[in-house]
């Protein structure tokens, strides 16, 4: 199998985590990194062993030998930076949230398809072995028909109006940063909702600090999901079925096992699952598998799924009255 040369565009905290995780991916090499600051790019490249470091995103396109670009800039920039790479013929793994809104996501998908270039949202949760195991159990009917799902994601963030989490210009707020995870997991297990209702509380900058959502599905199932930047929460996901319940163990967005409690059984069954390192390598492995097969999107995380998720985020933002600059 060939070695894939990765590039990273945007060198914040998550980019460091991804670079560390690439060391766990067979036939993966960090080849190039790009920042708006050349010194930052050079420091990052030195730390993680990248052969090329450039001081602008446009310069990255001139680096020879790139096989795929991981985009790790703020949510507000995903659309522009994905298009920059896609139009240059470079496959893209774009960090979640996929874009600012569904219209941007649709344009990214359209350009990728027109250029016949691979594109995938970097929703790492999808590729954890524990999530795969949970899907297998639910689809096999082990807990019966799923009737309700609960999921939460929260932490206490210091209020910094110009920081990434609270700045409207950077698409701040709990929803796009962490609320997307509970919405993602509900979509993964229950599909597209028939109805969505949302309420939120605001920070001084106008973005959401808390966002609570309830969803209903054609199957008769419901879901209640929640995100907050104001308090640490359990970060759990539990599915309640007619024959029992299933819980993703650990923080549900990066789980290390599954807990199964069947009705009438005195004890729950815990099933540990592999979780190497930080876990970002699972999505990188999926990208390389797709590229090796000549695929333009992932069968496990298709572009239609990411677009549908963005549409749900748009619906929630409409209900809580949150618009970002330029929309």
């Amino acid at each position: 199998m060939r070695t894939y040369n990765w590039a990273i565009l945007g060198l914040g905290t998550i980019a460091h985590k991804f670079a560390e995780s690439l060391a766990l991916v067979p036939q993966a090499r960090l080849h190039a990194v790009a920042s708006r600051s050349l010194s930052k790019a050079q420091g990052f490249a030195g730390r993680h062993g990248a052969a090329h470091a450039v001081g602008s995103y446009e310069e990255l396109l001139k680096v020879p030998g790139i096989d795929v670009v991981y985009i790790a800039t703020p949510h507000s920039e995903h659309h522009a930076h994905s298009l920059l790479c896609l139009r240059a013929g470079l496959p893209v793994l774009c960090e979640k949230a996929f874009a600012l809104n569904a219209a941007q996501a649709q344009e990214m998908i359209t350009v990728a398809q027109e250029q016949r270039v691979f594109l995938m949202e970097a929703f790492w949760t999808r590729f954890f072995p524990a999530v795969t195991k949970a899907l297998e159990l639910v689809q096999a009917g082990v807990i019966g028909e799923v009737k309700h799902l609960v999921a939460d994601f929260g932490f206490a963030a210091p209020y910094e109006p110009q920081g990434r989490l609270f700045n409207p210009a950077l698409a701040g707020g709990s929803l796009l940063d962490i609320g997307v995870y509970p919405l993602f997991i509900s979509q993964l297990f229950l599909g597209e909702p028939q109805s969505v209702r949302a309420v939120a509380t605001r920070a001084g900058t106008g973005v959401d600090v808390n966002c609570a959502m309830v969803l209903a599905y054609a199957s008769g199932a419901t879901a209640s999901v929640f995100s907050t930047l104001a308090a640490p929460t359990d970060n759990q996901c539990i599915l309640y079925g007619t024959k029992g319940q299933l819980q993703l163990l650990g923080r549900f967005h990066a789980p290390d096992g599954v807990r199964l409690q069947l009705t009438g059984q005195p004890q729950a069954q815990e099933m540990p699952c592999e979780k190497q390192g930080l876990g970002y390598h699972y999505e990188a492995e999926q990208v390389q598998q797709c590229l090796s097969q000549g695929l333009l999107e992932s069968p496990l995380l298709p572009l239609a799924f990411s677009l549908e998720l963005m549409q749900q985020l748009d619906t929630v933002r409409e209900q809580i009255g949150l618009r970002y600059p330029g929309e």
Side-chain angles (χ1 to χ4, degrees):
M1 186 178 176
R2 57 169 290 192
T3 295
Y4 286 88
N5 287 330
W6 283 82
I8 301 179
L9 189 158
L11 304 179
T13 301
I14 199 167
H16 284 283
K17 294 178 179 179
F18 187 84
E20 291 172 17
S21 297
L22 272 184
L24 295 173
V25 183
Q27 284 79 47
R29 172 171 54 212
L30 182 57
H31 182 65
V33 296
S35 170
R36 290 174 296 182
S37 162
L38 180 58
S39 61
K40 184 176 182 178
Q42 290 171 335
F44 191 104
R47 176 175 171 179
H48 296 289
H52 302 271
V54 296
S56 81
Y57 301 141
E58 291 74 17
E59 282 185 75
L60 185 66
L61 308 181
K62 302 175 185 177
V63 176
I66 294 173
D67 292 308
V68 55
V69 181
Y70 169 64
I71 292 175
T73 46
H75 312 310
S76 55
E77 309 307 311
H78 289 174
H79 170 252
H81 294 152
S82 291
L83 293 182
L84 181 73
C85 295
L86 291 169
R87 286 174 173 151
L90 294 174
V92 166
L93 173 65
C94 180
E95 196 45 66
K96 57 85 206 149
F98 201 35
L100 202 61
N101 52 46
Q104 287 189 353
Q106 182 61 70
E107 186 178 7
M108 290 159 59
I109 292 168
T110 299
V111 170
Q113 292 172 340
E114 289 175 350
Q115 298 288 327
R116 297 196 60 76
V117 178
F118 178 86
L119 173 63
M120 189 181 92
E121 185 176 13
F123 226 118
W124 64 322
T125 302
R126 175 64 183 89
F127 305 103
F128 276 76
V131 171
T132 300
K133 182 65 175 178
L135 280 169
E136 290 173 354
L137 292 169
V138 171
Q139 291 169 357
V142 173
I143 63 169
E145 294 181 28
V146 177
K147 293 300 180 183
H148 191 64
L149 178 149
V150 295
D152 67 273
F153 196 157
F155 61 90
Y159 181 57
E160 299 172 352
Q162 297 305 311
R164 180 181 67 83
L165 291 175
F166 292 98
N167 188 342
L170 297 178
S174 79
L175 178 64
L176 256 61
D177 195 66
I178 54 177
V180 65
Y181 282 101
L183 275 180
F184 166 86
I185 208 73
S186 63
Q187 182 177 328
L188 187 64
F189 282 102
L190 298 174
E192 184 177 5
Q194 280 190 322
S195 63
V196 179
R197 297 290 182 270
V199 293
T201 54
R202 304 290 193 91
T205 57
V207 302
D208 64 295
V209 175
N210 295 345
C211 188
M213 297 154 275
V214 290
L215 306 95
Y217 302 84
S219 65
T222 52
S224 52
V225 300
F226 172 67
S227 62
T228 181
L229 298 174
T233 69
D234 292 332
N235 295 339
Q236 290 187 343
C237 175
I238 303 174
L239 290 89
Y240 298 95
T242 54
K243 297 180 181 178
Q245 59 181 261
L246 180 148
Q247 179 180 347
L248 290 166
L249 294 175
R251 303 175 74 190
F252 84 86
H253 63 282
D256 55 16
V258 174
R259 182 180 184 272
L260 188 64
Q261 177 66 68
L262 297 179
T263 304
Q265 298 293 322
Q267 289 190 332
Q269 180 183 1
E270 292 197 357
M271 307 175 195
C273 297
E274 176 196 283
K275 180 186 173 184
Q276 287 186 309
L278 297 171
Y280 293 92
H281 66 291
Y282 294 120
E283 63 183 357
E285 287 175 349
Q286 170 68 188
V287 171
Q288 292 189 180
Q289 288 174 15
C290 291
L291 292 176
S292 71
Q293 297 170 33
L295 300 178
L296 298 182
E297 59 183 294
S298 165
L300 298 181
L301 187 60
L303 294 171
F305 185 101
S306 293
L307 180 59
E308 184 180 300
L309 183 57
M310 284 306 313
Q311 290 166 342
Q312 289 182 48
L313 291 166
D314 283 1
T315 298
V316 171
R317 287 202 297 120
E318 183 178 357
Q319 291 193 9
I320 65 176
L322 176 57
R323 291 179 64 84
Y324 293 118
E327 286 194 292

